Amino acid sequence: MLAIIGGSGLAQLSVLEVTHRQVVRTPYGDPSCALTFGHLAGQNVVFIARHGYGHSLAPHEINYRANLWALHNQGIKGVIAIGTVGGIRPDMAPGRLVVPDDIIDYSWGRKHTFFEGPERPVVHAEFTAPYDDGLRRRLLAAVAESGRSGVDGGVYACTQGPRLESAAEILRLEQDGADIVGMTGMPEAALARELELPYAHLCLVSNWAAGKGGASSVQFDPATGALGVEAVTATLLCLMAGK
Ligand code: HPA
């Protein structure tokens, strides 16, 4: 069974045939919401809305550890994370789907490891390649199968939010090598690695990052978002139909 973590605009997965919901508690506190179990293209899936139902949790308020722990406890084989991002690189235009292959973490103050405290001595998780290549390949094949062209690879910068970045901050991220920017990719990916869960990220570009794309809006564009949700659900259906 795969887990799907839905981001902004994907608090519910309309194509999921829901079988049941389960409220889960973890040693790390409560997840963002109940887990939703169901079938997608005939495959078992467990879904969680990262920001909670009704998008009530800001990126820094999300209990990433509880979310990952709760999903891990269901015996999942991997995690497909969905998130909206701002586009920094010229080809990362609003409406595009990107499957990044690397991360730079600028977030701070978030509970970001399971390995702390007297019970859990430190472990330095390997993170050279933050995303699982097999899951990335499957995601890219599913994007293509759904009739769209996804971007294969790119560096995801995770900022703290909830505010958007300044133009100078985006310039710095670009100089660091970042291609897209979001607020929730970390510590989620690292926590998945600590639990040895294969993890890949399907990113929908919802806007140009600050100062990019000419004078056009920096703000999240609901029109692109709405189109994007269809692209994301079509990809997920193809992914699950592909096995
Ligand atoms: N910056 C950070 N996170 C985001 C953005 C952005 O421009 N768009 C969507 N998530």
Side-chain angles (χ1 to χ4, degrees), residues 8 83-87 156-157 159 163-165 170 181-184 204 206-210 218 220:
S8 299
T84 54
V85 292
Y156 177 106
T159 56
R163 68 164 175 84
L164 292 160
E165 299 72 33
I170 291 299
V181 55
M183 300 173 188
T184 55
L204 168 67
S206 58
N207 57 279
W208 285 112
V218 168
F220 176 80

Side-chain angles (χ1 to χ4, degrees), residues 52-105:
Y53 294 127
H55 207 283
S56 49
L57 298 169
H60 65 287
E61 293 174 324
I62 294 165
N63 190 337
Y64 297 92
R65 294 196 301 184
N67 288 354
L68 268 296
W69 191 266
L71 294 171
H72 180 244
N73 260 6
Q74 311 308 314
I76 56 170
K77 295 274 182 290
V79 178
I80 301 292
I82 316 287
T84 54
V85 292
I88 299 176
R89 212 169 77 191
D91 60 326
M92 306 292 195
R96 294 218 81 175
L97 290 173
V98 184
V99 182
D101 63 357
D102 218 330
I103 296 177
I104 303 175
D105 187 12

